[in-house]
Amino acid sequence: MLSAFVRLGLICLSGVFYFAIALAEVGFGFDESEDVMEQGGCVADSMLYNLLEISLVPRVTASTVKESIQYQFNPVVFHRHDGRQWEVLEKWSLPSLGRRVGANVTIPVIRSFNPLIWAFDATSEPTNFQGVKQSCDIVDLPFRDFVEGISSPTISSEESDLVEPNLHLHLNAPLEKLSKDLLADVQPYVELFESCRAELRVTMSTAGTTSALHYNIQRRVRVQVTGSTRALLFPPEAAKALYLFPHIHPHRSCSQLQTPPADLRRYPLAVKLREAGLVAQEVTLMQGEVLSIPPFWLTVLTNVDSGIAIDMQQPAAFQAAVDRLLHRTIPELPAAFTLDQTVAVGRHFLTTLLRSLRRKVPRLAQFAIDGHHKQRYEPLMGSDSITLTTIKVKRHCKDPMTLESMPITSSNLMKLVRTAYDRLEQLAQMIKPFDAFEVVLGDYLDLVALQSVQRHHVSVSAFFANCFSDLR
C-alpha cells in the first residue's frame, strides 16, 4: 500500500515537473509586475512567438489577388509580376493624406496607452480590463490631427486635447468615407481586388501598435501601401489550444492568452501546443506587397512604423451557411416563459443535438462536451480580468426558429434539432480543416446557451456545466 502511494506521488510530481519544463520552453510564465499590469499584458506577445515552431510565409508573383487564391489554405505574400507600379505607392504618404482629406473630416479612432489593441464589437463599448491603470477609448478626431499624432507620437497635449504623449492611435475606416478622391486613386488597379468584391478600408496606426491574436471567418487581404507590418499567423488546428473568447463576448474571435495579468498557467493546452507538431508562420510585409490570410488563421499584426495599409475581406464560400446557422437556427422560446422553463427546454434541445452528433460525428460531440466550457469559459470565471457579467450583447437572431406558434412538445423540439443538425452537417462538409468547423460549432453553442438563459449572461457558464454533465 505504501509503495502504491509512493508511485502515485512520483507520477504527480513528474506531471508538475513536465508542466514546469513546458513553461520554460515556451518562455513565459506568470508576471504580476507593475510594468506588465500597466501594459495590459502586452508583453505576452513575446510568448506567442515561442508557442510553436515558426516558418516564413512564402512570397509568390501574381497579377491579381484571385491568382493567389490557389493557396487557399495557407497564407501567402505576393507582388505583381508585370512590372506595373501602383499609383498609390507614389501618391500616398502621411503628409499627403493629411492635406487631401483635411481637418474637416472627423473619424472614430481607438486611443490607448497600451500598444495592444483589442477587437471591439461594433455594438458595444470598449471593454477595459480591471487592474490595468491605463484604459483605451474611442474618440472622434479630425483626420489631420490623427495623422500628426501617429507621425509625431510625442506631440504636445497643448496642441490637441485628444492626442497626448505616448498614446497609441489606431484607425480602420472605409476609404470612401475619407475621400472619394482617394478611392479614385485605387480604381485603375481595381482588377487586383476583383476577387474580393469588398469594401476597401484604410488602416493606420502609431508605430508599435499591435492587434490581439484573432481570426476572421473571411479571407483577409492586406495591401501595404507605405511602411511595413509584421504578421504572426497560427493555423486553425491550433485554435483549441489558444482559448478563444465566447462568441457572446465583445472580444469574440480573439484569443484569451493576452488577457492581463499574463499568466500562462491558466492555459495548459497552449503550453503543450508544440506537441501537436504544428507550425506558425511570420512575415514582415513591405511596401507594395499583399498578404492573403485564409479564413480561421489566427493572426497578430504589428505596425513596425506608421505606415498605410488597405484592408479588405473576401467572403468565404461557406459564409451564407454560417450566417444561417448563427442567426437563423437558434431556438427562441415564448417571452412569457419563466427562466426555469427556457433553461429546461434549451437544455433538452442542446443535449438532444449533441447526442445526435455523438452518434454520427463522435469527435465533434466529444470536443463540445469535454472542451468547450473548459476552453472558453473556465479561464474567465473567478478571475480579476473580464467576467461575463460585463457583456453587452445585441440581439443576434435575425430570424430565429421559434416555438411561439406551436405547442412545446417533444415532436416539435425534434424538428428543431433536425434542422440544426442538418445545417451543422452541411457546414462540416464545407469548412476545412475540421478544426475550423469546431470554432463555428462553439459559436453556435454559445448563442443557444445565451437564448436559453434569457440573456442572463452570468448563467451561461452554469448552463453549459449542467448540460455537459448530463452527457458524460
Side-chain angles (χ1 to χ4, degrees):
M1 177 67 73
L2 181 60
S3 62
F5 278 113
V6 171
R7 284 197 300 271
L8 180 60
L10 288 174
I11 291 172
C12 294
L13 186 59
S14 64
V16 173
F17 179 72
Y18 170 81
F19 189 72
I21 292 294
L23 277 174
E25 288 180 352
V26 169
F28 194 86
F30 178 62
D31 190 343
E32 56 184 350
S33 65
E34 185 173 338
D35 287 343
V36 172
M37 293 300 290
E38 280 191 17
Q39 296 172 12
C42 191
V43 70
D45 294 345
S46 61
M47 173 268 293
L48 296 178
Y49 278 85
N50 291 298
L51 289 178
L52 286 176
E53 295 293 332
I54 298 178
S55 65
L56 294 178
V57 177
R59 282 180 161 86
V60 300
T61 56
S63 57
T64 65
V65 174
K66 188 175 184 178
E67 196 173 317
S68 77
I69 302 304
Q70 58 182 301
Y71 303 91
Q72 57 179 326
F73 297 124
N74 293 288
V76 64
V77 173
F78 75 96
H79 56 85
R80 302 185 70 112
H81 62 64
D82 54 10
R84 294 175 61 189
Q85 187 68 283
W86 290 15
E87 189 175 349
V88 290
L89 297 182
E90 300 174 354
K91 295 178 63 174
W92 284 19
S93 66
L94 289 179
S96 68
L97 287 189
R99 289 191 302 269
R100 293 173 65 183
V101 176
N104 295 327
V105 175
T106 300
I107 51 172
V109 172
I110 294 179
R111 182 181 63 166
S112 173
F113 284 95
N114 180 355
L116 179 65
I117 302 294
W118 289 86
F120 301 118
D121 187 281
T123 61
S124 61
E125 295 297 322
T127 302
N128 297 317
F129 296 109
Q130 299 174 13
V132 179
K133 295 181 180 179
Q134 310 293 357
S135 62
C136 61
D137 56 10
I138 297 179
V139 296
D140 290 327
L141 199 63
F143 184 78
R144 186 174 295 174
D145 287 356
F146 166 74
V147 170
E148 291 177 356
I150 65 173
S151 302
S152 306
T154 57
I155 185 172
S156 170
S157 58
E158 295 178 358
E159 298 178 51
S160 170
D161 58 352
L162 295 177
V163 180
E164 302 175 18
N166 303 316
L167 269 177
H168 290 264
L169 304 175
H170 175 72
L171 163 71
N172 185 289
L175 179 57
E176 187 173 12
K177 288 189 177 181
L178 289 183
S179 169
K180 294 187 184 301
D181 182 37
L182 296 178
L183 188 61
D185 290 345
V186 183
Q187 287 306 310
Y189 310 96
V190 72
E191 76 276 5
L192 184 68
F193 316 117
E194 63 183 356
S195 66
C196 293
R197 300 191 186 93
E199 180 182 59
L200 303 183
R201 303 183 69 87
V202 173
T203 297
M204 303 163 63
S205 301
T206 307
T209 301
T210 184
S211 70
L213 181 62
H214 67 287
Y215 73 88
N216 290 89
I217 193 174
Q218 305 90 356
R219 176 177 295 275
R220 182 175 182 179
V221 178
R222 164 163 287 208
V223 181
Q224 195 70 37
V225 180
T226 69
S228 55
T229 299
R230 186 171 66 251
L232 175 66
L233 306 106
F234 290 84
E237 292 86 348
K240 287 194 292 288
L242 296 177
Y243 294 83
L244 300 177
F245 277 100
H247 188 70
I248 58 177
H249 195 282
H251 294 336
R252 63 173 174 265
S253 303
C254 291
S255 166
Q256 298 181 35
L257 295 191
Q258 291 161 295
T259 305
D263 184 0
L264 197 58
R265 290 175 299 185
R266 292 163 54 195
Y267 310 106
L269 292 180
V271 176
K272 300 178 181 179
L273 192 53
R274 280 178 177 262
E275 297 177 13
L278 302 174
V279 177
Q281 297 190 35
E282 69 171 336
V283 68
T284 298
L285 197 64
M286 307 305 291
Q287 181 178 11
E289 292 186 321
V290 180
L291 173 62
S292 175
I293 306 173
F296 296 105
W297 275 73
L298 288 98
T299 310
V300 172
L301 297 170
T302 302
N303 280 30
V304 178
D305 46 37
S306 299
I308 305 169
I310 298 175
D311 271 346
M312 65 211 80
Q313 293 179 345
Q314 178 197 29
F318 48 76
Q319 180 74 57
V322 171
D323 289 343
R324 184 173 61 170
L325 176 72
L326 298 184
H327 300 302
R328 303 179 186 276
T329 319
I330 309 295
E332 184 177 35
L333 302 177
F337 268 32
T338 65
L339 178 59
D340 286 344
Q341 288 174 312
T342 58
V343 167
V345 176
R347 186 171 171 179
H348 180 66
F349 172 85
L350 196 57
T351 53
T352 304
L353 176 62
L354 290 175
R355 285 193 179 100
S356 299
L357 284 174
R358 186 157 58 185
R359 286 194 296 270
K360 299 291 184 65
V361 195
R363 170 189 165 183
L364 189 61
Q366 211 57 42
F367 151 76
I369 295 168
D370 293 338
H372 182 73
H373 181 267
K374 184 173 297 184
Q375 293 162 25
R376 293 200 182 191
Y377 290 87
E378 283 188 4
L380 294 176
M381 297 295 103
S383 68
D384 292 328
S385 54
I386 299 178
T387 63
L388 294 180
T389 57
T390 65
I391 300 174
K392 298 178 182 178
V393 187
K394 66 179 180 179
R395 182 183 180 86
H396 282 274
C397 304
K398 298 175 182 175
D399 185 21
M401 297 189 296
T402 178
L403 297 180
E404 288 278 7
S405 58
M406 55 178 153
I408 307 302
T409 65
S410 296
S411 174
N412 285 332
L413 275 178
M414 283 306 299
K415 290 178 183 177
L416 297 179
V417 170
R418 278 194 294 272
T419 299
Y421 179 84
D422 289 344
R423 292 180 179 178
L424 285 168
E425 187 176 43
Q426 177 192 20
L427 272 172
Q429 300 300 318
M430 299 174 68
I431 300 179
K432 306 298 179 186
F434 194 76
D435 305 80
F437 173 67
E438 291 178 345
V439 173
V440 176
L441 174 63
D443 293 345
Y444 179 68
L445 297 180
D446 290 338
L447 293 177
V448 170
L450 185 65
Q451 292 285 55
S452 300
V453 297
Q454 291 187 348
R455 313 194 72 73
H456 294 281
H457 311 98
V458 73
S459 307
V460 171
S461 181
F463 174 83
F464 274 131
N466 290 333
C467 283
F468 297 150
S469 65
D470 292 345
L471 295 164
R472 292 191 178 102

